[in-house]
Amino acid sequence: MKQASATVYIKIEQSIVVHDKRVTLEDIATITSTDQAMVRQLKQMKVYRFPDKKQGKQDYIQVFSLMKVIQMIQQEYPQAEVQNIGETDFVLKYLPPKGKSNTLEWVKTAVLCIVVFFGAAFTIMAFNNDVSVPDIFSKLYRQVFDVESNGFTELEICYSLGLPIGVLLFFNHFGNYKLTSDPTPIDVEMRKYEQDVDTSYIQNAGRGGKSIDVD
């Protein structure tokens, strides 16, 4: 065994995605120490290998305990002191490298756009009908201009233009363009969703005894 008395600082995020079935410590963690030779050796240390044959989706998702990683490090460097500044449990996910053809991804995106478009249109129409927006516009137009509305006035035009503009301003996102550098509401909700999913993986693996931990 190698001897080293330096302190090793290790940081691991809660969710890690790899594209190689052979996972090394460098793939999942940020490591630093005053002993650079030890750091170089630790980065190449094998941590896990995903199965070659996938039986189900869960075969490409593995929950780890940091205690197991520390145990691996101490087996190589018994005298090293390991300081964790990251997560205590993390989810390791394997995604196979994407092929050259993205046809399926484009089809999925197109179908999703169609569903979202018609779903949003139906929701807006149902809301307008529920609160009687046409009647409100008609009464407002008659009170302001003292003329009966024909259903296609300045109010309807401004409302139709203002609705998509307001949505774009609120979500701060249109294609690859953003008005500000702040995360969009969709970004925030997606990050929350990912954190909830990872937490569920960790808790379920812990209760089911499927997490890779020390003996």
Side-chain angles (χ1 to χ4, degrees):
M1 292 185 179
K2 307 175 183 65
Q3 299 294 323
S5 58
T7 300
V8 179
Y9 296 93
I10 181 171
K11 179 182 178 182
I12 302 179
E13 302 294 338
Q14 187 180 50
S15 179
I16 303 164
V17 177
V18 296
H19 300 285
D20 192 339
K21 291 183 179 180
R22 183 181 179 277
V23 183
T24 63
L25 189 59
E26 184 180 21
D27 297 327
I28 66 174
T30 303
I31 313 169
T32 187
S33 174
T34 55
D35 190 338
Q36 293 301 314
M38 179 176 61
V39 171
R40 288 193 295 270
Q41 292 293 327
L42 288 176
K43 286 183 176 180
Q44 302 304 317
M45 185 179 69
K46 180 182 176 182
V47 176
Y48 185 72
R49 180 178 178 83
F50 285 95
D52 293 328
K53 293 184 178 180
K54 178 183 176 183
Q55 301 297 327
K57 183 178 180 181
Q58 294 298 323
D59 290 342
Y60 285 171
I61 299 176
Q62 182 61 58
V63 176
F64 260 85
S65 169
L66 181 71
M67 293 294 293
K68 184 63 177 180
V69 177
I70 294 177
Q71 184 185 57
M72 293 179 180
I73 295 175
Q74 291 180 337
Q75 286 176 350
E76 292 292 323
Y77 295 92
Q79 303 301 321
E81 179 183 352
V82 183
Q83 293 287 340
N84 174 42
I85 56 176
E87 298 290 333
T88 56
D89 297 281
F90 59 95
V91 180
L92 184 60
K93 305 174 184 177
Y94 169 72
L95 291 181
K98 294 183 178 180
K100 296 182 179 180
S101 177
N102 292 325
T103 304
L104 183 59
E105 296 297 326
W106 281 106
V107 171
K108 290 180 180 179
T109 303
V111 172
L112 180 61
C113 290
I114 293 173
V115 172
V116 171
F117 175 80
F118 285 103
F122 178 79
T123 302
I124 293 172
M125 289 187 294
F127 169 78
N128 290 338
N129 183 68
D130 186 48
V131 299
S132 301
V133 170
D135 293 339
I136 295 174
F137 282 172
S138 178
K139 293 178 181 179
L140 180 62
Y141 190 82
R142 185 171 60 252
Q143 290 177 356
V144 174
F145 297 101
D146 196 23
V147 178
E148 289 294 333
S149 172
N150 60 3
F152 187 73
T153 65
E154 294 86 347
L155 292 177
E156 284 79 11
I157 295 174
C158 292
Y159 180 74
S160 300
L161 295 176
L163 190 62
I165 293 175
V167 171
L168 292 176
L169 291 176
F170 175 76
F171 285 101
N172 186 28
H173 192 276
F174 183 76
N176 293 327
Y177 300 97
K178 296 173 63 176
L179 298 178
T180 67
S181 59
D182 296 334
T184 67
I186 295 179
D187 291 334
V188 174
E189 291 302 321
M190 286 299 297
R191 297 294 87 77
K192 290 182 179 179
Y193 172 75
E194 290 176 355
Q195 289 179 355
D196 291 341
V197 171
D198 292 334
T199 301
S200 297
Y201 276 132
I202 293 172
Q203 292 179 348
N204 291 338
R207 293 174 182 176
K210 298 180 180 180
S211 175
I212 296 183
D213 204 341
V214 294
D215 299 331

